[in-house]
Amino acid sequence: MPSPSDPSPELATLLRLKNHEQPPDGYFEDFARTFHDRQRAELLTVSVWRMLADRTATAFYDWRAALQPRLLYPLGAACAAIVVTTLALRPTSSTTAPGSALTTAPEGALATAPARPSLQPGAILPVPAAAAATTAWPRGSVPVSTHTPPPPAPSPNGLRRTPEDALVPALPVTSGQAWPLTPEGQAQPASADGTSLQATHGKIIILVR
Amino acid sequence: MPDENDAPDPPDADLVARAQAGDLKAFDELVRRHSPRLYSLIYHMTSHREDTNDLLQDVFAKAYRSLERFRGHSQFYTWLYSIATNMTLNFLKKRNRRSRAMSLDDLDAGLERNEDFIALTTPRSPEKEVGLKELQKKLNEAMQTLSDDHRAVVVMYDIQGLPHAEISRIMGVSEGTIRSRLFYAHRQLQSQLDEFWKK
């Protein structure tokens, strides 16, 4: 009884004809001789790495052959689940809250946000703790955000966080606040508490004296 | 006393055991025994004689290097077919697909005595033979449009006559997958040849 996967009789006949496509007479004798020579030459020049690669591949084939084909997919799925779970449970070291990612330059208390922040009425701009520690603000006059940033990690612009960023004070920013531009194209508002904000190339930089 | 030449060919398992013990002549015999069918497999997958020759050499070289790891979980030719299929599929992935139209000129002279060929060209006429050559050419082109995996299954099942279960073991996929690939491949070949069937 023909299977649904069987071809039509005409196609089956045409495909069977292709079995007659063979190399010229004498090919297989020449092939055996050529292979014989190559085999003996290779015996003298097999590298350790090649032997290791072959043995690994053969071992892998043996495992595959020993398993039922229907077990391969569940086994593969189980392996994939283990890998995904391991990756998911691995402690993250580079996540930062959106809009609060600050980095400090290696030298000086200069912090840059990686993207242009959206300033909403009453928005809070966090300032690195290192900067806060060096500022001349009277103690208690600067609100301190409860946000605790994650552990230090490389930032997109290549600058590194320092452990001093662990505690982040914050400054209130007024909506629509205008800042005069410096000759270098930087907005530099002055503030009574000695803190200034700079806008450069789409980034807001908080300078603390 | 029977002539040594009349002795039946030793089974593959004996030759494999001797080759594993270091008998190179035993492996040479395995090469002679299996190279025609492996050649056909690789040739119909690559459609290129030089590539086929190179790949066939590589397949036997790899088989020889891996021979000591062959445990007999499957028949030797299944193991050999598996190596050949995997190496050819890997080769095809790397190679830019070179479409090479083959024709019946590539076939050996014995084809004209083949019963399938006679049936397809009877009553004999030049027009009918030309039509068959065109059909064969069209089939080769259609084969090239199949994916490598589908073409491999068609070659093993339709051209070489291997059963589904054997192809399943060679390719390391389920029989259902083999049947599914065959169904899809036949439908694709059929649709491309339909205009010729109508003539």
Side-chain angles (χ1 to χ4, degrees):
Chain A
M1 183 180 162
S3 155
S5 63
D6 283 346
S8 68
E10 296 89 352
L11 181 58
T13 304
L14 207 54
L15 286 167
R16 269 202 307 275
L17 276 177
K18 289 180 71 62
N19 207 22
H20 288 268
E21 293 172 10
Q22 291 290 330
D25 288 343
Y27 169 82
F28 290 112
E29 287 75 17
D30 288 344
F31 174 82
R33 194 164 38 248
T34 309
F35 177 72
H36 195 89
D37 296 342
R38 171 181 168 169
Q39 189 185 15
R40 277 141 190 78
E42 272 196 358
L43 282 176
L44 303 173
T45 58
V46 175
S47 71
V48 173
W49 289 113
R50 187 160 189 180
M51 285 175 66
L52 186 65
D54 283 343
R55 288 183 179 208
T56 306
T58 309
F60 194 76
Y61 171 79
D62 286 347
W63 298 337
R64 198 189 73 178
L67 289 171
Q68 294 289 329
R70 64 176 178 276
L71 293 180
L72 286 176
Y73 292 111
L75 190 63
C79 290
I82 290 170
V83 170
V84 169
T85 307
T86 305
L87 290 176
L89 293 180
R90 195 176 61 176
T92 55
S93 60
S94 60
T95 49
T96 53
S100 68
L102 292 176
T103 57
T104 52
E107 294 178 3
L110 179 65
T112 61
R116 183 192 300 275
S118 58
L119 298 179
Q120 301 296 329
I124 300 297
L125 280 183
V127 177
T134 60
T135 185
W137 297 326
R139 289 193 178 278
S141 65
V142 178
V144 176
S145 166
T146 55
H147 166 68
T148 304
S155 67
N157 61 8
L159 298 177
R160 291 178 61 83
R161 282 177 169 274
T162 60
E164 289 78 11
D165 293 335
L167 289 176
V168 182
L171 291 173
V173 176
T174 307
S175 175
Q177 186 173 354
W179 300 325
L181 285 177
T182 63
E184 292 78 29
Q186 297 174 339
Q188 193 163 22
S191 67
D193 57 14
T195 305
S196 62
L197 296 175
Q198 280 191 352
T200 306
H201 301 300
K203 296 179 179 177
I204 291 185
I205 304 170
I206 303 171
L207 291 178
V208 181
R209 294 184 190 140
Chain B
M1 181 178 170
D3 186 359
E4 192 180 334
N5 292 333
D6 293 338
D9 289 336
D12 278 359
D14 288 356
L15 291 171
V16 170
R18 282 167 48 195
Q20 283 175 328
D23 184 349
L24 291 179
K25 285 187 179 176
F27 193 75
D28 287 344
E29 175 58 27
L30 287 169
V31 170
R32 266 189 289 274
R33 188 175 289 184
H34 294 289
S35 51
R37 284 179 71 80
L38 285 184
Y39 180 94
S40 171
L41 170 73
I42 298 171
Y43 175 63
H44 287 115
M45 286 172 70
T46 61
S47 299
H48 197 276
R49 292 200 185 281
E50 289 172 17
D51 290 343
T52 302
N53 183 62
D54 294 344
L55 270 169
L56 194 57
Q57 294 268 358
D58 291 343
V59 166
F60 281 116
K62 183 167 187 176
Y64 183 76
R65 290 195 300 269
S66 310
L67 193 61
E68 65 182 67
R69 305 280 299 177
F70 175 68
R71 299 277 182 248
H73 294 308
S74 60
Q75 292 193 48
F76 178 70
Y77 88 88
T78 304
W79 182 73
L80 206 52
Y81 254 70
S82 184
I83 293 175
T85 306
N86 286 332
M87 288 183 74
T88 308
L89 288 174
N90 286 337
F91 169 80
L92 289 173
K93 276 181 198 164
K94 292 174 189 168
R95 186 187 80 174
N96 288 331
R97 189 70 56 84
R98 283 174 289 181
S99 176
R100 176 178 177 270
M102 295 169 293
S103 71
L104 287 182
D105 295 339
D106 289 336
L107 307 188
D108 64 358
L111 175 66
E112 295 195 354
R113 295 189 294 276
N114 180 270
E115 59 184 26
D116 287 332
F117 183 84
I118 293 170
L120 284 169
T121 54
T122 300
R124 300 297 286 264
S125 69
E127 294 79 12
K128 202 152 189 176
E129 289 193 19
V130 168
L132 182 58
K133 285 183 180 180
E134 284 181 6
L135 193 56
Q136 194 78 6
K137 186 177 175 185
K138 187 73 181 173
L139 174 64
N140 291 333
E141 289 169 3
M143 289 276 286
Q144 292 302 311
T145 65
L146 297 177
S147 77
D148 297 334
D149 285 332
H150 286 82
R151 192 173 338 115
V153 175
V154 168
V155 169
M156 282 187 262
Y157 181 79
D158 292 304
I159 300 179
Q160 302 205 299
L162 294 180
H164 295 111
E166 199 64 51
I167 302 171
S168 156
R169 280 190 286 273
I170 289 167
M171 297 198 73
V173 296
S174 70
E175 276 191 54
T177 303
I178 299 298
R179 289 177 192 277
S180 161
R181 287 180 185 172
L182 277 172
F183 177 78
Y184 175 81
H186 289 153
R187 197 177 59 179
Q188 191 170 334
L189 291 175
Q190 195 82 40
S191 69
Q192 294 195 41
L193 293 171
D194 265 350
E195 57 182 286
F196 281 85
W197 301 130
K198 290 171 188 168
K199 285 182 181 176

